[in-house]
Amino acid sequence: MAQIDDLPPLREVIAEHGLDARKSLGQNFLLDLNLTSRIARSAGDLSDCTVIEVGPGPGGLTRALLAAGAKKVIAIEKDTRCLPALAQISEHYNGKLEVIEGDALKYNPAELADGPIKIIANLPYNVGTQLLLGWLTTEEWPPFWSSLTLMFQKEVGQRIVAQTGDKAYGRLGVLANWRCHTDILFDLNPKAFTPPPKVTSAVVQLHPREKPLDCPLKALERVTAHAFGQRRKMLRASLKGLKPDAETRIEAAGLRPTARAEEIDVAGFVALAHAFDKD
């Protein structure tokens, strides 16, 4: 197993601080420093940016980010048991690590740092999608972050990158691919984690499109929520709860009222958002 710094192995850190992973916090600790280093490298050059990390736990990915030359890492950790272990990392790396104790859902990363920001994290399973949606639906675009390199359950990763016709295609894929270029970089075996989750994980990377299609964001969120909330229904049925003249608006968007959500590409949903945003 890789030795990336002079700090103790992660298993020793976990034992010393009694850091058993807790299901209630969505924790699955990644202990293989070969893999954490691979994640850090996949995010590109970190020397000129601040990295925001959510849910660092005992600090395996945190150490890899700092060893890879990150200018600064700001880690948001809800579990107070992890703070002493993270304090040791901060001391070892001469204060390049800043730890914020709290719930990441309550923080706006844009307010935590100036200059280029990359978000790199093994996200807690129970809040990962919610956090991603928050970063995707920021009003300002291009956003405050230059890239997202995030670990999810593989099923969620497939939903993020899904395109029209893919089995996993849905609301998350529309929102992600409207504003970003998305890729699954690699999978991670459950055995790499403590405790091993029941599913394979995947590292997903998103880069913001400089000029995504012009679209009213709130209308897109409403249209996709209704369309995929009843995905087996035709659009004229799934969208009728939005406007009484739904069928006319669907036709105005250049789409068939008898089409289903899974058949509509991102550009089609953008057209629907414009059509349903009008009075």
Side-chain angles (χ1 to χ4, degrees), residues 208-278:
R209 297 180 187 273
E210 186 175 343
K211 293 182 179 180
L213 292 171
D214 179 57
C215 183
L217 173 59
K218 297 301 181 184
L220 181 63
E221 291 182 287
R222 289 193 299 270
V223 165
T224 52
H226 278 74
F228 287 106
Q230 303 178 73
R231 62 186 303 141
R232 297 310 305 156
K233 291 188 175 182
M234 298 177 184
L235 291 177
R236 66 187 180 193
S238 62
L239 299 181
K240 69 179 181 180
L242 282 175
K243 298 284 185 179
D245 56 345
E247 192 160 343
T248 300
R249 291 171 184 265
I250 295 166
E251 291 174 341
L255 301 172
R256 292 180 294 108
T258 55
R260 291 177 171 83
E262 61 200 27
E263 303 173 58
I264 309 303
D265 62 12
V266 172
F269 274 108
V270 168
L272 280 173
H274 281 291
F276 279 83
D277 193 45
K278 297 174 182 176

Side-chain angles (χ1 to χ4, degrees), residues 21 33 59 61 79 90 92 97 127 145 148 164 177 188 205 210:
L33 293 177
L61 179 56
D79 187 352
S90 181
H92 181 82
L97 170 63
V127 295
W145 46 269
L148 305 175
T164 317
N177 290 288
L188 293 98
Q205 194 162 72
E210 186 175 343

Side-chain angles (χ1 to χ4, degrees), residues 49-113:
C49 67
T50 297
V51 175
I52 305 290
E53 183 188 6
V54 175
L61 179 56
T62 315
R63 287 165 60 174
L65 295 168
L66 291 163
K71 179 181 176 182
K72 183 176 183 179
V73 175
I74 299 176
I76 306 172
E77 180 54 67
K78 187 176 182 179
D79 187 352
T80 57
R81 300 175 305 148
C82 298
L83 300 182
L86 296 170
Q88 290 177 342
I89 298 172
S90 181
E91 182 178 357
H92 181 82
Y93 282 97
N94 300 315
K96 286 187 176 181
L97 170 63
E98 177 186 342
V99 180
I100 296 175
E101 177 190 345
D103 185 344
L105 291 170
K106 298 179 180 179
Y107 286 90
N108 178 1
E111 298 175 354
L112 300 179

